[in-house]
């Protein structure tokens, strides 16, 4: 399992060895993509990327004669281009790095180890995504409240949050609707999740029945 099938320099590699590594890379990528499709709603283009990324990384490693430093720098920069302009889920980044790791392993010639790595970690990702003990705690919420520009937001909701939450922190304040309203964003820890509706109703009384949005905590921008 830990014996490389690639020996010698790039110029002396056999076609059969390279093809085996390429085939294993594609198989491993397909396994990861299929498992991830069962865990998350992912687009076909993203799943295709995951399926082919190990083979691409393998080719990069092969061409730099096994120099992991150069290979990781090149392959890593290409694989993370997607997240420069689009907000990505943490789970997306996870499977990208898993695909890269598989490509690094096959690029070094450890085909059997790459296959075992893909299967074991894919099963682990699937199992962990289906069980509930890693689910986000529902008491942590992100609250966005719109208020008129003439309402002092500093302490207007303090007593409401004191009643319904054990912690409330202002995360951001911004103007909306051409400056005619403010939107305040809070991260809160609820005393009782069953009292969330009563809290929202109390907030609506204070902000003149303008929109109040309650969602998962602010860390959901990188959600799993």
């Amino acid at each position: 399992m830990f014996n490389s099938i690639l020996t010698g320099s790039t110029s002396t590699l056999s076609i059969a060895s390279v093809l085996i590594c390429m085939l294993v890379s594609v198989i491993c990528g397909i396994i990861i993509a299929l498992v991830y499709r069962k865990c998350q709603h992912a687009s076909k283009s993203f799943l295709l990327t995951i399926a082919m990324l190990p083979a691409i990384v393998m080719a990069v490693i092969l061409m730099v004669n096994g120099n992991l430093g150069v290979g990781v720098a090149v392959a890593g920069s290409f694989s993370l281009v997607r997240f420069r302009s689009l907000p990505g889920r943490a789970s997306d980044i996870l499977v990208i790095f898993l695909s890269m790791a598989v490509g690094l392993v096959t690029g070094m010639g450890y085909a059997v180890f790459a296959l075992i790595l893909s299967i074991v970690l894919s099963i682990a990702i699937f199992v962990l995504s289906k069980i509930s003990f890693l689910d986000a705690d529902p008491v942590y919420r992100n609250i966005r409240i719109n208020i008129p520009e003439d309402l002092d937001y500093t302490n207007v909701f303090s007593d409401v949050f004191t009643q319904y939450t054990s912690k409330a922190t202002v995360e951001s304040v911004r103007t909306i609707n051409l400056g005619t309203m403010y939107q305040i964003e809070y991260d809160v820890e609820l005393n009782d999740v069953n009292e969330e509706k009563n809290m929202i109703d109390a907030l609506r009384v204070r902000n003149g029945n303008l929109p109040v949005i309650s969602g998962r905590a602010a860390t959901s921008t990188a959600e799993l």
Side-chain angles (χ1 to χ4, degrees):
M1 181 174 70
F2 294 103
N3 293 324
S4 175
I5 64 174
L6 300 177
T7 57
S9 63
T10 303
S11 60
T12 61
L13 293 178
S14 67
I15 296 178
S17 298
V18 174
L19 289 178
I20 290 173
C21 289
M22 184 71 70
L23 179 60
V24 171
S25 297
V26 173
I27 292 174
C28 292
I30 291 174
I31 291 172
I32 297 170
L34 289 176
V35 172
Y36 190 61
R37 187 179 67 172
K38 297 294 183 181
C39 302
Q40 295 284 353
H41 297 291
S43 66
K44 183 177 180 179
S45 62
F46 182 74
L47 295 176
L48 178 62
T49 300
I50 295 302
M52 297 307 299
L53 185 57
I56 296 172
V57 174
M58 185 224 75
V60 172
I61 296 300
L62 204 61
M63 289 300 101
V64 296
N65 290 315
N67 188 320
L68 289 179
V70 176
V72 171
V74 175
S77 62
F78 285 130
S79 65
L80 294 179
V81 165
R82 177 178 186 266
F83 298 99
R84 295 182 62 185
S85 57
L86 294 174
R89 295 173 296 197
S91 57
D92 291 349
I93 303 176
L94 171 66
V95 294
I96 280 182
F97 276 113
L98 175 56
S99 296
M100 285 183 59
V102 170
L104 291 173
V105 173
T106 55
M108 299 297 294
Y110 301 102
V112 177
F113 178 57
L115 192 58
I116 294 175
L117 179 69
S118 300
I119 294 173
V120 171
L121 291 186
S122 294
I123 292 174
I125 291 173
F126 178 79
V127 172
L128 290 174
S129 69
K130 297 302 180 182
I131 57 181
S132 60
F133 82 93
L134 290 179
D135 289 350
D137 194 329
V139 301
Y140 296 105
R141 308 295 286 176
N142 178 255
I143 309 291
R144 282 182 290 172
I145 308 173
N146 294 347
I147 64 172
E149 61 176 339
D150 57 352
L151 183 64
D152 183 7
Y153 60 81
T154 308
N155 296 309
V156 67
F157 304 116
S158 297
D159 59 331
V160 177
F161 286 133
T162 299
Q163 179 181 354
Y164 292 102
T165 71
S166 58
K167 180 181 179 181
T169 306
V170 177
E171 292 299 318
S172 66
V173 179
R174 64 170 182 160
T175 59
I176 58 175
N177 288 355
L178 300 177
T180 61
M181 290 192 296
Y182 287 101
Q183 184 177 85
I184 308 100
E185 185 172 346
Y186 296 87
D187 276 345
V188 305
E189 182 177 347
L190 299 174
N191 293 327
D192 184 355
V193 294
N194 296 318
E195 291 292 317
E196 183 177 14
K197 180 182 182 302
N198 293 334
M199 180 188 70
I200 293 176
D201 289 340
L203 294 173
R204 289 169 56 216
V205 171
R206 298 295 176 84
N207 77 336
N209 206 31
L210 290 172
V212 176
I213 302 172
S214 176
R216 283 181 290 179
T219 51
S220 63
T221 54
E223 64 179 10
L224 285 172

